[in-house]
Amino acid sequence: MTAAPSTLPALDRRAVALLLAATLTTMANAAISPALPGLEVRFAHHPQAALLTRFLVPAPSVAVVLIAGWAGVLADRLGRRPLLIGGVLLFALAGSLGMVLGSLEAILLSRLALGVAVALIMTAQTALIADYFDGAARSRVLGLQISARNLGGLVSITLAGVLALMSPMHAFAIHGLALLILPILWCAISEPKRPSPATTAPGAPSATTQRLGLGLWAIAGLQMLTTICFFTMPTQVPFFVASHGIRNTAIIGSVMGALTLAGMLAATRYSTLKPRLGHARLFLLGYGLMGLGMAVLALAPGLAMIFLGAALVGLGFATVSPNFNEIALRAAPADLRGRAAGIMTTSVFLGQIVSPFLTLPMVRHAGYSGTFATLAVLLGLAALVALLAYGVTRGATDAAERAS
């Protein structure tokens, strides 16, 4: 393994290449968000147009959930590099195909193929971060990974909003940008030396799931629940903005851009905040910001407050997101990092799948304000749990210090 704890990640060509790959993952789901109202109108004759157009956003997540676990196994057995490069190529082809397809069903299939690409990219990329970097360098790259995802979302959503002014089908062209990253990945990414599988004593648990530990599954579950709340933004906010009489797709795209820009800026501070605050207080801060943002959206009288609410949610989500991967990668044995990355990738996209099925009925029964208010309460409770966890951990630490 070629760890580089002292390397400045921003100047490491491997880090740059991996962060460029990370920009694609948000693009896969959220880039077509500004085009959703136009797609619903274009396919208005379809009896399930309302549901299917909304489901186009999390559709890649279905394939990710089915594939990411296997991608993790392949990453551990066959290597990270071929999965990453193959995933980026498939991403460009499958994502752009939506431009020329004439039915919602065909577009949906292309989005599923896009999800296969995302599973390969995210699993290989996250495992490579753990392989290449250690300690503070790893924390920094994991924070920058979230920033890169948000930057990709900001650029792609904004450009897609402009393209959708001409036709909602043009928004799919944005995925072709992935082709520009391929030469960089080819030159910068080398296959790290794979560690030998750890041996276990006779009679000791040796199953992969046992070696990964319950803590990994718990943090994956928490990440899924957080994603369910967050993914209300790309699936419902475009329609929430339209409900205020704003139909301009460029404006809708700029609201989503505020969400991703705020997240991009917040995640750059992760490596600075984490040593000072620790994981528990970062969860407290992040969930508090997300809950406040949802409350602002619930009460928003117009576009300015919608921008503010979206920015707060983006700040909060980007604060908690690097926590998940850092905790998971630290807990996983070196020879199982691909599988750990696959589990964490699955949890993110499983949350994205579940989100619209939970939030669309909520919107229909409680309206947008009621939905955002409910999520604000749930996220506030999550912040309270993080505060209690910090109190318990701090009390245990103090007791240990006094005993010593």
Side-chain angles (χ1 to χ4, degrees):
M1 180 170 49
T2 56
S6 61
T7 301
L8 182 64
L11 301 180
D12 190 297
R13 68 173 188 168
R14 300 169 303 175
V16 172
L18 292 174
L19 293 175
L20 286 172
T23 63
L24 303 178
T25 56
T26 299
M27 182 191 302
N29 291 86
I32 65 166
S33 291
L36 293 184
L39 288 169
E40 185 175 3
V41 172
R42 182 182 181 90
F43 295 103
H45 60 279
H46 196 288
Q48 297 296 327
L51 178 61
L52 289 181
T53 52
R54 286 166 172 82
F55 193 66
L56 289 177
V57 173
S61 307
V62 175
V64 173
V65 169
L66 296 175
I67 296 297
W70 295 106
V73 174
L74 290 176
D76 286 334
R77 293 183 178 178
L78 303 180
R80 323 322 191 186
R81 187 177 187 271
L83 264 67
L84 181 61
I85 292 175
V88 172
L89 179 60
L90 178 60
F91 183 99
L93 297 177
S96 302
L97 192 59
M99 288 182 61
V100 298
L101 299 176
S103 71
L104 276 175
E105 289 83 0
I107 294 174
L108 187 60
L109 288 175
S110 73
R111 300 286 290 171
L112 293 173
L114 181 65
V116 174
V118 172
L120 300 178
I121 294 170
M122 284 192 69
T123 300
Q125 184 233 1
T126 300
L128 282 168
I129 289 175
D131 290 337
Y132 287 155
F133 303 103
D134 200 359
R138 182 186 294 176
S139 294
R140 185 174 180 189
V141 178
L142 287 172
L144 292 174
Q145 179 188 45
I146 304 302
S147 293
R149 291 177 186 176
N150 282 282
L151 177 61
L154 173 65
V155 172
S156 62
I157 290 172
T158 303
L159 291 178
V162 175
L163 290 171
L165 289 172
M166 296 179 283
S167 166
M169 307 302 289
H170 288 6
F172 294 99
I174 204 72
H175 300 91
L177 291 174
L179 293 175
L180 301 178
I181 299 175
L182 271 176
I184 300 173
L185 292 174
W186 186 270
C187 296
I189 299 300
S190 59
E191 186 64 36
K193 181 180 178 181
R194 275 174 272 161
S196 301
T199 58
T200 56
S206 59
T208 296
T209 53
Q210 291 174 310
R211 289 185 59 214
L212 288 172
L214 293 177
L216 175 66
W217 298 98
I219 200 67
L222 180 59
Q223 182 174 239
M224 184 188 76
L225 294 175
T226 305
T227 304
I228 289 172
C229 295
F230 174 77
F231 216 65
T232 306
M233 303 301 290
T235 56
Q236 299 301 336
V237 165
F239 299 95
F240 177 53
V241 174
S243 72
H244 283 73
I246 301 168
R247 303 285 178 176
N248 189 306
T249 57
I251 294 177
I252 295 174
S254 66
V255 172
M256 301 307 299
L259 172 81
T260 54
L261 178 60
M264 180 182 69
L265 296 176
T268 61
R269 308 306 303 162
Y270 177 75
S271 61
T272 302
L273 292 175
K274 186 253 178 177
R276 299 176 183 176
L277 300 180
H279 293 302
R281 283 191 288 180
L282 279 174
F283 280 130
L284 168 62
L285 176 62
Y287 286 132
L289 287 170
M290 287 183 72
L292 179 59
M294 291 294 183
V296 169
L297 289 172
L299 301 173
L303 189 59
M305 294 297 284
I306 293 175
F307 270 102
L308 176 60
L312 287 170
V313 173
L315 286 172
F317 186 68
T319 300
V320 300
S321 292
N323 258 352
F324 297 123
N325 276 333
E326 181 160 35
I327 294 170
L329 291 174
R330 183 184 298 169
D335 62 297
L336 295 181
R337 282 175 182 158
R339 290 170 175 83
I343 291 169
M344 298 305 292
T345 300
T346 299
S347 74
V348 170
F349 288 92
L350 185 58
Q352 292 179 5
I353 293 173
V354 173
S355 183
F357 289 103
L358 292 178
T359 57
L360 186 57
M362 289 172 66
V363 168
R364 287 173 174 170
H365 287 90
Y368 291 107
S369 294
T371 298
F372 291 131
T374 301
L375 293 175
V377 171
L378 293 175
L379 289 164
L381 291 174
L384 179 60
V385 170
L387 177 61
L388 294 174
Y390 170 72
V392 171
T393 304
R394 183 63 180 173
T397 302
D398 291 342
E401 289 175 353
R402 287 194 298 268
S404 62

